[in-house]
Structure formats: structure tokens, C-alpha cells
Amino acid sequence: MADNTAKREISNETEELSQKTKRAKADHGNGRGEDVKESEAGNVLSGFQLSAVLSDSAREKNIFIHGKLADQNAVVILEKTPIREDTLAEIFSGSRLMLEMKNDIYSTYRLQAPPHLNEIKTTVVCPATEKHVNKYQRQESFLVEETWEDYQTITLPYIQVQSFSVQWVHNILEKKAEAERIVYEDPDPDNGFVLLPDFKWDQKQVDDLYLIAIVHQKDIKSLRDLTSDHVPLLQNVFKKGKEAILQRYNLPASKLRVYLHYQPSYYHLHVHFTKLGYEAPGCGVERAHLLADVIQNLQSDPQYYQTRTLYFPLRADNGLLSKFKEAGRL
Ligand code: M7G
């Protein structure tokens, strides 16, 4: 019941948001790396040259492709999106229906929905680094056991030179990109954060709700840096993030999975807010740490994350995995 209300609300929100986007565009033009609209950009993918399919999933209905866009390395992700309840009437009335087979009470059809209800969510990373290509490649994973000493001698030196750029994060915090997508902001430099939709979420339905809270403090790399000094920051993100989601999407805290990744891909502290029941990539116990647990751990031991052994999966050709192997830790 609550979900249906939320679905209705979200389509209003989406509409409002797209109106806002249009207004922002009309007011300020573009050129700051923000959402580029079709009329300006045309089909940038028309010249895409495919080199390899990195992975695909019939169940998740997505495909990750590596190729070239105007001679630059690119990764393109295509993903079919869920069918929304509020589009059903139009799907039934406005589609072409072709019978495939009929047998007794059973029949199957091919249904061609109106184009605007048949969109494919598309993500482009360009220019993509080798690390991006590896990130999306289907690969075997290995569970790594990292003591605090391993973190200091193996992981930290590696991430200091090898991690993904966090330019996109700084663009969000400085309102140079995605400014119109911000759902909530607490501007306090110590305890503040920006809450906005993760780019994995198309915001069309609340079933796969996915937002991220990016903290304003720029020097917290990951869970490993957290001490009890950060408890007020974490509590603030937890409390205000949940309130903002309730207000905007009508989803109560009891419907949310709020967690941090260890290891993250991007070493600027951020918190994932996803809908409970949605199996977001990386929400398994080997990578996700519930924010509520993190807060409690820090309250009972201020140095919890500087003393504990942490476990996480690394994919076969992750450079950090090689470092753990070289150190005889795997
Ligand atoms: P993570 O735990 O560092 O790594 O999370 P993961 O990508 O392996 O999960 C970073 C989160 O930020 C992920 O959920 C990404 O989908 C999301 N994300 C990454 N980028 C580059 C962007 C972006 O440009 N905009 C937004 N809104 N989200 C992003």
C-alpha cells in the first residue's frame, strides 16, 4: 500500500524534477558536465565501435560493453528498466500485439510498447580507464582478509596511487554537476552531506530506490578512517538521510538498507541508501556494512576500524589482489 502511494508520488516527483531540470537548463545553459538533453547532444552513441561484451545478464536484463567513441575508450551499460504500474493502462491500450502461439487457455504474444515506454537506461563512461573496463568485466572474486597492518602496508599505499578519480564527487559537492538532482543537502562543513540519486537508479519507481549521501568532509577515504570523532557526522547522515527519503519518496526507515562499502570504488566517504528487498549490486555481507552497526561499533570502541580485521571480495585482475598475493596474504 505504502509502496503504491510512493510509486504515484515518485512519478510526480520525477515530473517535477524534469521540469526543474528544464528550468535550470533554460536559466543557466549547460557546459558544466550536467545532464545533457537530447536536443543538444544528439545521439552520441551512433558512432560507437564495439570491441567486447564485458558481461551481460539475461536475468538482470543488462549488458556491459567496451568499445570506442570518437577514438576514446568507452564503457556503455544498457539496462532494461522495470515495468511501472502507472504505465500499464497505456501499455495495454497503445501497443501492437502479435500472437506467437495459442494452446488451450495459454497464449503468448510479442508486445511492442509505445517507444516512450520502451526505453533502455544507458550509462556511458568516456574516456574510460583500464580500471573502468576491469570493473565491469565478469570475473571470479576472492575474499581477502585485511588486518590493520595489511591496510597500512598493502591497501593504503595502493589506493593512494591507484584509486578511481573522485572528480565526479567534487563536482557534486561544488554544484558543478547533478545540482538539479540533489534531494537534500546539509551544508555544514563538518557534519553535512549531499543526498542524491545514485546514477544506477533511473528514479522512475521506488522498488529499486538507490541514493547516495556524499559527505562534505573531503579527507575521509573509507570505513578504515572512521573513529568515534565521526559518530556525529554518521548520525547526522543517518537521521537526515532517512527523513529526506521519507519526505520525498514516502518510504520509511524500516524499508531502507543504509550501508557503506568496504572496499569502495571511490575513496571519498559516502553512504548507500537502497530500498530493502532490492538486491543492489554490492549489498552482500562481504562488502556492505550497515551504517547502524558502524555507528554502534564506533561507540563501543573508538578505534574499532583501526583494530579489526576486515573482509572483502576482490576481483581476479584487481591490482590490490596482486599486492595481497605478493605479500603472501592470499
Ligand atoms: P562505491 O561503494 O564507491 O563503489 O559506490 P561501487 O560503484 O563499486 O558500488 C559509489 C556509488 O556511486 C555507486 O553506487 C555508483 O553507482 C555511484 N556513482 C558513481 N559515479 C561515477 C556516479 C556519478 O557520476 N553520479 C552519481 N549520482 N552516482 C555515481
Side-chain angles (χ1 to χ4, degrees):
M1 240 356 239
D3 280 5
N4 281 337
T5 320
K7 269 182 210 161
R8 273 194 300 280
E9 298 243 328
I10 206 168
S11 60
N12 292 340
E13 288 293 347
T14 311
E15 203 161 297
E16 229 175 71
L17 204 64
S18 88
Q19 295 292 345
K20 267 196 236 154
T21 311
K22 280 181 201 143
R23 274 204 300 277
K25 208 184 86 191
D27 290 345
H28 309 297
N30 209 295
R32 298 191 304 164
E34 294 178 15
D35 294 352
V36 178
K37 305 301 171 296
E38 190 201 10
S39 54
E40 286 171 72
N43 179 1
V44 292
L45 289 177
S46 59
F48 183 77
Q49 290 175 308
L50 185 144
S51 5
V53 170
L54 299 171
S55 64
D56 61 353
S57 161
R59 193 174 70 89
E60 287 168 22
K61 301 188 181 53
N62 59 21
I63 184 161
F64 296 73
I65 314 150
H66 176 212
K68 292 250 182 223
L69 258 182
D71 278 344
Q72 289 191 304
N73 255 321
V75 171
V76 173
I77 304 165
L78 302 177
E79 184 185 354
K80 296 231 180 167
T81 50
I83 298 166
R84 277 156 38 212
E85 194 180 329
D86 62 342
T87 61
L88 289 179
E90 205 181 341
I91 289 180
F92 291 139
S93 64
S95 299
R96 270 186 78 201
L97 198 63
M98 286 154 295
L99 181 69
E100 273 189 333
M101 72 95 196
K102 187 164 175 50
N103 181 351
D104 188 33
I105 59 170
Y106 307 99
S107 40
T108 67
Y109 297 88
R110 279 186 297 142
L111 181 149
Q112 290 178 348
H116 67 281
L117 296 179
N118 201 12
E119 291 174 354
I120 295 180
K121 178 171 169 9
T122 304
T123 308
V124 178
V125 184
C126 183
T129 63
E130 202 182 323
K131 269 179 76 81
H132 287 106
V133 176
N134 293 342
K135 176 174 160 77
Y136 294 118
Q137 194 141 33
R138 180 172 298 125
Q139 278 177 40
E140 215 181 335
S141 287
F142 299 88
L143 195 76
V144 172
E145 198 179 318
E146 181 198 68
T147 61
W148 173 241
E149 200 197 330
D150 293 332
Y151 173 72
Q152 287 178 304
T153 57
I154 306 172
T155 309
L156 186 57
Y158 179 82
I159 60 179
Q160 274 165 344
V161 285
Q162 290 289 342
S163 52
F164 281 118
S165 160
V166 289
Q167 185 58 50
W168 68 272
V169 172
H170 295 164
N171 288 347
I172 290 171
L173 294 176
E174 291 157 21
K175 316 288 158 33
K176 291 183 181 159
E178 303 189 54
E180 75 286 357
R181 285 159 48 89
I182 292 175
V183 169
Y184 175 82
E185 175 168 18
D186 176 343
D188 186 273
D190 297 323
N191 292 336
F193 65 98
V194 168
L195 180 74
L196 81 169
D198 191 287
F199 76 169
K200 287 202 279 275
W201 185 37
D202 68 5
Q203 303 179 70
K204 297 240 168 78
Q205 57 285 309
V206 91
D207 302 320
D208 56 350
L209 175 136
Y210 200 145
L211 293 112
I212 39 172
I214 301 175
V215 304
H216 274 298
Q217 281 196 53
K218 286 194 170 144
D219 56 351
I220 314 172
K221 287 183 288 306
S222 75
L223 196 60
R224 274 293 190 201
D225 283 342
L226 295 175
T227 68
S228 53
D229 291 347
H230 300 109
V231 167
L233 164 68
L234 300 173
Q235 283 176 326
N236 193 47
V237 170
F238 201 22
K239 179 170 177 289
K240 295 193 180 145
K242 288 188 294 191
E243 284 168 3
I245 290 175
L246 177 63
Q247 209 184 359
R248 173 70 75 101
Y249 304 104
N250 200 23
L251 210 60
S254 59
K255 286 285 182 186
L256 294 178
R257 185 191 282 125
V258 186
Y259 57 96
L260 289 86
H261 275 157
Y262 193 73
Q263 299 286 333
S265 294
Y266 303 96
Y267 289 86
H268 174 119
L269 194 78
H270 57 273
V271 176
H272 302 250
F273 286 77
T274 63
K275 177 155 183 245
L276 193 70
Y278 165 54
E279 284 191 28
C283 75
V285 291
E286 72 280 29
R287 190 156 180 237
H289 297 251
L290 284 181
L291 181 57
D293 285 338
V294 172
I295 292 172
Q296 287 195 73
N297 291 338
L298 292 171
Q299 282 169 333
S300 52
D301 176 359
Q303 246 54 73
Y304 187 93
Y305 292 102
Q306 290 82 49
T307 49
R308 287 305 174 115
T309 294
L310 297 178
Y311 300 83
F312 49 84
L314 288 178
R315 290 140 55 90
D317 73 348
N318 187 313
L320 184 56
L321 187 74
S322 317
K323 297 284 175 205
F324 271 84
K325 281 186 184 158
E326 282 165 25
R329 297 288 294 119
L330 204 80

